[in-house]
Amino acid sequence: MLIDNGHGKETPGKCSPDGRLKEYAYTREIADRLVTGLQNEGIDAMRIVPGENDVALFERVRRVNAIGKDAILVSIHCNAMGSGAEWMSASGWSVFVGVNASMNSKRLARQLAQVALNRKVKVRRPSPQKLYWTANFYICQKTNCPAVLVENFFQDNKEDVEFLLSEEGKQCVTNILLEGITNYLKEYQRNM
C-alpha cells in the first residue's frame, strides 16, 4: 500500500485563510496515522514522499511504478474552492479516479466513499448513483496500479477546518481511509 501525502511545505497557497491548517503538514500527519494503522492490520504500507518538501509528480509516479502493478496508491489532499485568501462555503469529502481508471481503482474509490457515507460524512459526488469523481489528475492517470486521490474536506471552509484540526476529525479521516482500504483488499481477495 503506497500513500502519497499531497503537496510540500513550499507549495504556494495550500492552507486555510487563517493559516492554521497547512495542507502539507495535515496530509503528512494523516498519512503517518494511516501507514501505522495499515501496518497494525498486517498490511505492508509506506509513504512515497517521506519528507516535508514537495516531490515532482513525475518522480512520485516513477516511485509508484517502480514498485509495480501489485501496489495500490492513495493520494491524500485537502480540497479548496477559492484562492485561500477568504473563507468559502463548499464543504465535504470526495474521492477521485483518473479518466483511464481501472476497475480496481473504481472499486477502491467506491469502498472509500461508502465508508465515509456510513460514518455520516457529507460526500461530494457527481450524482446520487456515482460515489466518485473522474478527473485528469496526473498521479492517478500515470501510475500503473489502482490509484485514487482523496480530498478530505475543504481547507477554506471554516467548519471543515475546525473539524479537520480536531482529534475527532483527524481520526474520522484516518478511519475512512483505513476501513475503505481494508474493505477493498477483502473484496479484491474474494474476487481472485
Side-chain angles (χ1 to χ4, degrees):
M1 191 72 225
L2 303 175
I3 309 301
D4 173 44
N5 34 252
H7 306 283
K9 69 179 179 179
E10 72 281 5
T11 307
K14 307 299 181 191
C15 67
S16 59
D18 61 5
R20 291 174 51 223
L21 187 147
K22 303 212 179 319
E23 186 174 3
Y24 85 91
Y26 186 82
T27 59
R28 279 158 177 75
E29 180 179 350
I30 297 302
D32 285 340
R33 287 173 177 235
L34 178 58
V35 167
T36 299
L38 290 165
Q39 290 171 344
N40 289 342
E41 294 287 327
I43 299 166
D44 188 24
M46 63 180 263
R47 283 176 40 191
I48 64 168
V49 180
E52 289 188 347
N53 293 327
D54 204 1
V55 171
L57 281 168
F58 71 85
E59 174 58 19
R60 287 191 253 162
V61 166
R62 188 200 65 73
R63 291 177 186 183
V64 171
N65 289 342
I67 304 243
K69 293 182 180 183
D70 292 333
I72 300 164
L73 173 70
V74 174
S75 186
I76 303 172
H77 296 261
C78 295
N79 215 338
M81 181 56 77
S83 67
E86 59 188 358
W87 295 109
M88 306 297 282
S89 61
S91 66
W93 181 96
S94 53
V95 61
F96 292 79
V97 299
V99 175
N100 62 341
S102 67
M103 286 308 298
N104 284 332
S105 294
K106 294 173 184 177
R107 283 186 187 110
L108 176 57
R110 279 194 297 271
Q111 287 288 356
L112 291 165
Q114 193 57 60
V115 169
L117 288 170
N118 292 348
R119 292 181 175 273
K120 308 293 187 235
V121 165
K122 176 184 176 182
V123 175
R124 297 172 60 89
R125 48 192 170 169
S127 71
Q129 299 78 26
K130 192 170 181 186
L131 297 176
Y132 57 85
W133 298 85
T134 302
N136 193 20
F137 289 131
Y138 189 90
I139 194 99
C140 292
Q141 294 285 105
K142 301 296 183 181
T143 48
N144 60 14
C145 65
V148 299
L149 185 146
V150 293
E151 294 280 12
N152 294 295
F153 302 92
F154 281 75
Q155 62 196 12
D156 55 5
N157 176 293
K158 204 174 262 190
E159 291 77 26
D160 279 7
V161 168
E162 291 302 323
F163 180 67
L164 286 168
L165 291 175
S166 71
E167 183 55 34
E168 175 194 2
K170 290 175 184 179
Q171 199 56 54
C172 178
V173 168
T174 303
N175 289 342
I176 289 169
L177 299 173
L178 181 58
E179 188 179 334
I181 290 165
T182 55
N183 289 350
Y184 165 80
L185 292 172
K186 288 174 191 169
E187 178 186 8
Y188 180 79
Q189 289 167 347
R190 279 194 306 268
N191 292 330
M192 285 186 69

